[in-house]
C-alpha cells in the first residue's frame, strides 16, 4: 500500500475580510510567501497577488496533466507534450461555480476517438477533479 503524502500550506491573515490582507506559503516545498487579499480574489482578479481560486486552478491543471499523461502512456501512446490550463470561476457570496479545463496535446499515433475518451477519463480520474463538487468542463485538442 502506498505511503500517504501530506501536503502543507499556511496563511497568515491580518484585518477583516474586505480591508485585510495576508500571505500564504507552500510549507512543504518552501515556496512563497504569496500575497493574498479580497480585492484580488473577488474584485480585480489580477495583479501581483494570488487567490485561493488561482492556487486551485494551478493544482487542477497540474493534476489533470499528470493523470492524462499516465493514461496516455498506459494506452501505449505517451504524450510528447501536454499544455493544460484551468480556469476557476468564483462569485463573491456564492463561491466557486465551476472549472474549465483546457488541454492541447502532442500525441503520436492516437485516433481522435481514443484521444477524446482518454481525455474525459483523465478528467474523471484526476484526484483534484474528484475532490470538487462543481461542474468541470474540458476542451481537449490535439496539436
Amino acid at each position: 500500500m502506498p505511503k500517504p503524502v501530506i501536503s502543507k500550506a499556511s496563511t497568515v491573515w491580518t484585518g477583516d475580510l474586505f480591508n485585510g490582507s495576508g500571505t500564504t506559503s507552500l510549507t512543504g516545498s518552501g515556496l512563497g510567501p504569496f500575497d493574498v487579499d479580497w480585492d484580488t480574489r473577488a474584485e480585480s482578479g489580477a495583479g501581483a497577488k494570488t487567490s485561493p481560486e488561482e492556487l486551485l486552478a494551478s493544482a487542477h491543471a497540474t493534476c489533470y496533466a499528470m493523470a492524462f499523461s499516465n493514461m496516455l502512456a498506459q494506452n501505449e501512446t505517451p504524450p510528447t507534450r501536454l499544455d493544460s490550463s484551468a480556469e476557476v470561476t468564483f462569485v463573491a457570496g456564492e463561491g466557486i461555480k465551476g472549472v474549465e479545463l483546457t488541454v492541447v496535446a502532442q500525441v503520436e499515433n492516437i485516433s481522435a476517438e481514443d484521444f477524446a475518451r482518454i481525455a474525459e477519463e483523465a478528467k474523471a480520474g484526476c484526484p483534484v477533479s474528484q475532490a470538487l463538487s462543481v461542474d468541470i468542463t474540458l476542451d481537449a485538442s490535439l496539436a
Side-chain angles (χ1 to χ4, degrees):
M1 185 159 137
K3 177 184 163 190
V5 174
I6 308 297
S7 296
K8 298 178 184 178
S10 63
T11 299
V12 174
W13 186 268
T14 56
D16 65 22
L17 175 61
F18 301 110
N19 300 306
S21 63
T23 57
T24 189
S25 297
L26 309 178
T27 311
S29 65
L31 297 175
F34 303 102
D35 292 332
V36 293
D37 68 9
W38 177 254
D39 182 60
T40 302
R41 182 178 193 188
E43 305 296 331
S44 68
K49 299 177 183 176
T50 192
S51 68
E53 291 73 26
E54 183 178 43
L55 295 168
L56 179 59
S58 176
H60 205 173
T62 303
C63 183
Y64 178 76
M66 294 171 85
F68 194 22
S69 69
N70 184 51
M71 294 181 81
L72 287 166
Q74 290 174 348
N75 188 60
E76 298 183 6
T77 53
T80 303
R81 180 182 174 107
L82 298 176
D83 291 322
S84 67
S85 63
E87 293 183 12
V88 174
T89 300
F90 173 78
V91 177
E94 296 179 27
I96 295 172
K97 304 307 285 182
V99 179
E100 295 178 23
L101 288 173
T102 302
V103 64
V104 178
Q106 294 175 354
V107 183
E108 301 294 324
N109 303 315
I110 191 168
S111 69
E113 295 80 18
D114 283 346
F115 176 80
R117 175 184 52 79
I118 295 168
E120 287 292 333
E121 289 173 357
K123 180 184 85 167
C126 165
V128 173
S129 294
Q130 293 173 355
L132 300 174
S133 59
V134 296
D135 185 46
I136 302 168
T137 61
L138 174 64
D139 179 10
S141 60
L142 285 165

